[in-house]
Amino acid sequence: MIQAKNVDSYVRLAPKETREKLKELRKIITTVAPAAEERLSYGMPYYSYKKQLVYFAFAKKHIGLYIPPPIIAENKKELKDYKTAKATVQFPLDKKLPVTLIKKLIKARMKYNEEKEKSKRK
C-alpha cells in the first residue's frame, strides 16, 4: 500500500500504467459531485457528500470503486460485465472506464444520501 498524503500524491505514486485511469475516475467523481469533500480515508481517495459517497483504489489488474450499499445491488443488471461485491465494482485496467455507468452510480448514491438526510429531518 502506498503512503500518500492526499489524492494528488495517491495518483502520482500509483503505477504509471494506472495513473491516467485514476485521473479520469477522479475527474468523473468531481464533475458529478462538485460539492463532495475529497480526502484520503483508509489510504484511498474518499469523497463525502452528505455522508459516504465513494472511494476508489488501484490494484494490480483493476481499479476498485467502492460505493456503500444499496447502490451495487440496485444496479446489478448493468454491472453484470464486472466483478462486484456488496459495495465494490472492479474495472479492469485493460478496458476503458464505463464513464456513463460510473456517473449513474455516483448520482444514485448522491440521491440516496440526500433522501436519508431529508428523512432524518422529519
Side-chain angles (χ1 to χ4, degrees):
M1 187 155 79
I2 61 174
Q3 297 297 316
K5 292 183 168 96
N6 55 41
V7 178
D8 285 327
S9 64
Y10 181 90
V11 172
R12 196 172 46 254
L13 294 169
K16 187 177 180 178
E17 61 276 4
T18 308
R19 286 184 209 140
E20 288 308 311
K21 283 202 172 163
L22 294 175
K23 288 177 188 176
E24 181 182 8
L25 183 54
R26 182 184 192 188
K27 185 174 180 175
I28 292 166
I29 295 166
T30 58
T31 300
V32 172
E37 175 192 343
E38 178 185 78
R39 62 184 166 94
L40 291 182
S41 180
Y42 301 105
M44 300 181 285
Y46 166 72
Y47 298 83
S48 175
Y49 174 79
K50 301 180 187 291
K51 287 280 202 184
Q52 291 178 320
L53 180 61
V54 65
Y55 297 79
F56 68 83
F58 67 87
K60 189 173 183 177
K61 295 184 179 182
H62 70 271
I63 292 176
L65 185 67
Y66 306 93
I67 303 177
I71 305 306
I72 302 298
E74 291 174 351
N75 292 275
K76 198 73 168 168
K77 187 176 182 181
E78 288 156 290
L79 293 166
K80 68 181 177 358
D81 296 332
Y82 303 96
K83 186 173 181 182
T84 61
K86 186 176 181 179
T88 309
V89 183
Q90 292 182 4
F91 299 116
L93 290 176
D94 63 351
K95 295 191 171 130
K96 286 185 171 187
L97 289 175
V99 176
T100 303
L101 178 57
I102 294 169
K103 286 179 179 180
K104 180 181 180 181
L105 296 172
I106 294 166
K107 287 176 184 178
R109 184 63 196 190
M110 289 174 72
K111 184 177 179 186
Y112 178 86
N113 287 356
E114 290 166 352
E115 289 171 358
K116 287 289 264 186
E117 185 179 80
K118 282 181 189 175
S119 69
K120 285 183 180 180
R121 285 192 224 148
K122 291 182 180 181

Short mmCIF file of all heavy atoms in Angstrom, two decimals, residues 2 5-6 11 13 17 27 37-38 47 51-52 61-62 71-72 74 84 86 90 93 101 107-108 115-116 118-119:
data_model
loop_
_atom_site.label_atom_id
_atom_site.label_comp_id
_atom_site.label_asym_id
_atom_site.label_seq_id
_atom_site.Cartn_x
_atom_site.Cartn_y
_atom_site.Cartn_z
N ILE A 2 0.52 2.23 -0.80
CA ILE A 2 1.31 3.45 -0.86
C ILE A 2 0.96 4.38 0.29
O ILE A 2 -0.15 4.33 0.81
CB ILE A 2 1.15 4.16 -2.23
CG1 ILE A 2 -0.30 4.58 -2.48
CG2 ILE A 2 1.65 3.30 -3.35
CD1 ILE A 2 -0.51 5.39 -3.72
N LYS A 5 -0.22 11.41 0.96
CA LYS A 5 -0.66 12.45 1.89
C LYS A 5 -2.00 13.03 1.48
O LYS A 5 -2.73 13.59 2.29
CB LYS A 5 0.39 13.55 1.96
CG LYS A 5 1.67 13.10 2.62
CD LYS A 5 2.64 14.27 2.72
CE LYS A 5 3.78 13.94 3.61
NZ LYS A 5 4.99 13.49 3.08
N ASN A 6 -2.31 12.95 0.17
CA ASN A 6 -3.56 13.47 -0.36
C ASN A 6 -3.87 12.75 -1.67
O ASN A 6 -3.10 11.89 -2.10
CB ASN A 6 -3.49 14.99 -0.54
CG ASN A 6 -2.32 15.40 -1.41
OD1 ASN A 6 -1.99 14.77 -2.41
ND2 ASN A 6 -1.64 16.48 -1.01
N VAL A 11 -2.45 9.49 -6.63
CA VAL A 11 -2.41 9.27 -8.08
C VAL A 11 -0.97 9.28 -8.58
O VAL A 11 -0.57 8.43 -9.37
CB VAL A 11 -3.28 10.32 -8.81
CG1 VAL A 11 -3.10 10.24 -10.32
CG2 VAL A 11 -4.75 10.16 -8.43
N LEU A 13 1.75 8.53 -7.03
CA LEU A 13 2.51 7.37 -6.55
C LEU A 13 2.01 6.04 -7.12
O LEU A 13 2.64 5.01 -6.91
CB LEU A 13 2.46 7.31 -5.02
CG LEU A 13 3.18 8.45 -4.30
CD1 LEU A 13 2.86 8.45 -2.81
CD2 LEU A 13 4.69 8.36 -4.52
N GLU A 17 1.11 2.96 -15.49
CA GLU A 17 0.05 2.49 -16.39
C GLU A 17 -1.36 2.67 -15.79
O GLU A 17 -2.35 2.52 -16.49
CB GLU A 17 0.27 1.02 -16.77
CG GLU A 17 0.27 0.04 -15.62
CD GLU A 17 1.61 -0.09 -14.88
OE1 GLU A 17 2.57 0.64 -15.19
OE2 GLU A 17 1.67 -0.93 -13.96
N LYS A 27 -11.78 12.77 -12.06
CA LYS A 27 -12.49 13.83 -12.77
C LYS A 27 -13.97 13.51 -12.89
O LYS A 27 -14.82 14.40 -12.73
CB LYS A 27 -11.88 14.05 -14.16
CG LYS A 27 -12.50 15.21 -14.88
CD LYS A 27 -11.82 15.52 -16.18
CE LYS A 27 -12.54 16.71 -16.79
NZ LYS A 27 -11.94 17.19 -17.99
N GLU A 37 -16.64 16.46 -0.54
CA GLU A 37 -15.35 16.68 0.11
C GLU A 37 -14.41 15.56 -0.31
O GLU A 37 -14.78 14.38 -0.27
CB GLU A 37 -15.52 16.66 1.63
CG GLU A 37 -14.24 16.77 2.39
CD GLU A 37 -14.39 16.46 3.87
OE1 GLU A 37 -15.51 16.46 4.39
OE2 GLU A 37 -13.35 16.19 4.50
N GLU A 38 -13.20 15.92 -0.70
CA GLU A 38 -12.20 14.94 -1.14
C GLU A 38 -11.10 14.83 -0.11
O GLU A 38 -10.57 15.84 0.35
CB GLU A 38 -11.60 15.40 -2.48
CG GLU A 38 -10.52 14.49 -3.00
CD GLU A 38 -9.86 15.01 -4.27
OE1 GLU A 38 -9.01 15.93 -4.14
OE2 GLU A 38 -10.21 14.52 -5.34
N TYR A 47 -14.59 10.35 -1.05
CA TYR A 47 -15.46 11.50 -1.32
C TYR A 47 -16.68 11.40 -0.43
O TYR A 47 -17.33 10.35 -0.36
CB TYR A 47 -15.86 11.55 -2.80
CG TYR A 47 -14.64 11.72 -3.67
CD1 TYR A 47 -13.86 10.63 -4.02
CD2 TYR A 47 -14.21 12.98 -4.07
CE1 TYR A 47 -12.70 10.77 -4.76
CE2 TYR A 47 -13.05 13.14 -4.81
CZ TYR A 47 -12.30 12.02 -5.14
OH TYR A 47 -11.15 12.18 -5.86
N LYS A 51 -22.63 12.36 3.85
CA LYS A 51 -22.17 11.05 4.33
C LYS A 51 -21.27 10.42 3.27
O LYS A 51 -20.86 11.08 2.33
CB LYS A 51 -23.33 10.11 4.68
CG LYS A 51 -24.06 10.46 5.95
CD LYS A 51 -23.28 9.97 7.11
CE LYS A 51 -24.16 9.79 8.34
NZ LYS A 51 -23.36 9.40 9.46
N GLN A 52 -21.03 9.12 3.39
CA GLN A 52 -20.14 8.42 2.46
C GLN A 52 -20.70 8.45 1.04
O GLN A 52 -21.85 8.10 0.82
CB GLN A 52 -19.99 6.96 2.85
CG GLN A 52 -19.23 6.73 4.12
CD GLN A 52 -19.19 5.25 4.45
OE1 GLN A 52 -20.17 4.55 4.28
NE2 GLN A 52 -18.05 4.79 4.92
N LYS A 61 -4.57 -5.44 -11.37
CA LYS A 61 -5.26 -5.61 -12.65
C LYS A 61 -6.58 -4.85 -12.77
O LYS A 61 -7.28 -4.98 -13.77
CB LYS A 61 -5.53 -7.10 -12.89
CG LYS A 61 -4.26 -7.92 -13.04
CD LYS A 61 -4.57 -9.35 -13.36
CE LYS A 61 -3.28 -10.12 -13.53
NZ LYS A 61 -3.51 -11.51 -13.90
N HIS A 62 -6.91 -4.06 -11.76
CA HIS A 62 -8.18 -3.32 -11.82
C HIS A 62 -8.13 -2.07 -10.95
O HIS A 62 -7.22 -1.89 -10.16
CB HIS A 62 -9.35 -4.22 -11.39
CG HIS A 62 -9.34 -4.54 -9.93
ND1 HIS A 62 -8.67 -5.63 -9.41
CD2 HIS A 62 -9.90 -3.91 -8.86
CE1 HIS A 62 -8.84 -5.66 -8.10
NE2 HIS A 62 -9.57 -4.61 -7.74
N ILE A 71 -26.39 0.62 -3.55
CA ILE A 71 -26.23 1.04 -4.94
C ILE A 71 -25.81 -0.10 -5.88
O ILE A 71 -26.37 -0.25 -6.96
CB ILE A 71 -25.24 2.23 -5.04
CG1 ILE A 71 -25.68 3.38 -4.13
CG2 ILE A 71 -25.08 2.68 -6.49
CD1 ILE A 71 -27.10 3.87 -4.32
N ILE A 72 -24.85 -0.92 -5.47
CA ILE A 72 -24.40 -2.02 -6.33
C ILE A 72 -25.56 -2.98 -6.59
O ILE A 72 -25.83 -3.36 -7.73
CB ILE A 72 -23.20 -2.76 -5.70
CG1 ILE A 72 -22.02 -1.81 -5.45
CG2 ILE A 72 -22.79 -3.96 -6.58
CD1 ILE A 72 -21.43 -1.16 -6.67
N GLU A 74 -28.75 -2.43 -6.46
CA GLU A 74 -29.79 -1.80 -7.27
C GLU A 74 -29.41 -1.70 -8.75
O GLU A 74 -30.29 -1.53 -9.60
CB GLU A 74 -30.09 -0.39 -6.74
CG GLU A 74 -30.77 -0.39 -5.40
CD GLU A 74 -30.95 1.00 -4.80
OE1 GLU A 74 -30.39 1.98 -5.33
OE2 GLU A 74 -31.63 1.09 -3.77
N THR A 84 -18.24 -7.78 -8.96
CA THR A 84 -18.82 -6.93 -7.93
C THR A 84 -18.90 -7.66 -6.60
O THR A 84 -18.83 -8.88 -6.55
CB THR A 84 -20.24 -6.46 -8.32
OG1 THR A 84 -21.09 -7.60 -8.46
CG2 THR A 84 -20.25 -5.64 -9.59
N LYS A 86 -20.73 -6.55 -2.41
CA LYS A 86 -21.78 -5.73 -1.79
C LYS A 86 -21.57 -4.22 -2.00
O LYS A 86 -22.52 -3.50 -2.24
CB LYS A 86 -21.85 -6.05 -0.30
CG LYS A 86 -22.98 -5.40 0.42
CD LYS A 86 -23.01 -5.87 1.87
CE LYS A 86 -24.16 -5.23 2.62
NZ LYS A 86 -24.21 -5.68 4.01
N GLN A 90 -15.21 -3.75 -9.72
CA GLN A 90 -13.84 -3.77 -10.23
C GLN A 90 -13.85 -3.48 -11.72
O GLN A 90 -14.51 -4.18 -12.49
CB GLN A 90 -13.19 -5.14 -9.98
CG GLN A 90 -12.95 -5.43 -8.53
CD GLN A 90 -12.27 -6.76 -8.31
OE1 GLN A 90 -11.90 -7.46 -9.25
NE2 GLN A 90 -12.08 -7.10 -7.05
N LEU A 93 -8.10 -2.93 -15.77
CA LEU A 93 -7.19 -1.92 -16.32
C LEU A 93 -7.06 -2.01 -17.84
O LEU A 93 -6.72 -1.02 -18.48
CB LEU A 93 -5.81 -2.04 -15.67
CG LEU A 93 -5.73 -1.63 -14.20
CD1 LEU A 93 -4.34 -1.90 -13.66
CD2 LEU A 93 -6.13 -0.18 -14.01
N LEU A 101 -21.83 4.72 -16.85
CA LEU A 101 -22.23 3.86 -15.74
C LEU A 101 -21.69 4.39 -14.41
O LEU A 101 -22.42 4.42 -13.41
CB LEU A 101 -21.74 2.43 -15.98
CG LEU A 101 -22.04 1.40 -14.90
CD1 LEU A 101 -23.53 1.30 -14.61
CD2 LEU A 101 -21.48 0.04 -15.30
N LYS A 107 -24.39 9.33 -9.02
CA LYS A 107 -25.64 10.08 -8.89
C LYS A 107 -26.64 9.34 -8.02
O LYS A 107 -27.35 9.94 -7.20
CB LYS A 107 -26.24 10.37 -10.27
CG LYS A 107 -25.48 11.42 -11.03
CD LYS A 107 -26.06 11.60 -12.43
CE LYS A 107 -25.24 12.58 -13.25
NZ LYS A 107 -25.75 12.72 -14.61
N ALA A 108 -26.71 8.02 -8.17
CA ALA A 108 -27.63 7.21 -7.36
C ALA A 108 -27.26 7.30 -5.89
O ALA A 108 -28.12 7.42 -5.03
CB ALA A 108 -27.62 5.76 -7.84
N GLU A 115 -31.80 11.70 0.26
CA GLU A 115 -33.07 11.20 0.79
C GLU A 115 -32.93 10.78 2.25
O GLU A 115 -33.83 11.02 3.05
CB GLU A 115 -33.59 10.04 -0.06
CG GLU A 115 -34.07 10.51 -1.41
CD GLU A 115 -34.40 9.38 -2.39
OE1 GLU A 115 -34.21 8.19 -2.05
OE2 GLU A 115 -34.84 9.70 -3.51
N LYS A 116 -31.80 10.17 2.61
CA LYS A 116 -31.56 9.78 4.00
C LYS A 116 -31.50 11.02 4.90
O LYS A 116 -32.04 11.02 6.00
CB LYS A 116 -30.25 8.99 4.14
CG LYS A 116 -30.31 7.60 3.60
CD LYS A 116 -31.13 6.68 4.44
CE LYS A 116 -30.25 5.92 5.38
NZ LYS A 116 -30.95 4.90 6.14
N LYS A 118 -32.92 13.96 4.32
CA LYS A 118 -34.28 14.52 4.42
C LYS A 118 -35.12 13.75 5.41
O LYS A 118 -35.86 14.34 6.20
CB LYS A 118 -34.97 14.52 3.05
CG LYS A 118 -34.54 15.61 2.14
CD LYS A 118 -35.30 15.51 0.83
CE LYS A 118 -34.72 16.46 -0.19
NZ LYS A 118 -35.36 16.30 -1.51
N SER A 119 -35.04 12.44 5.39
CA SER A 119 -35.87 11.62 6.28
C SER A 119 -35.46 11.80 7.74
O SER A 119 -36.27 11.65 8.64
CB SER A 119 -35.81 10.14 5.88
OG SER A 119 -34.55 9.60 6.14
#
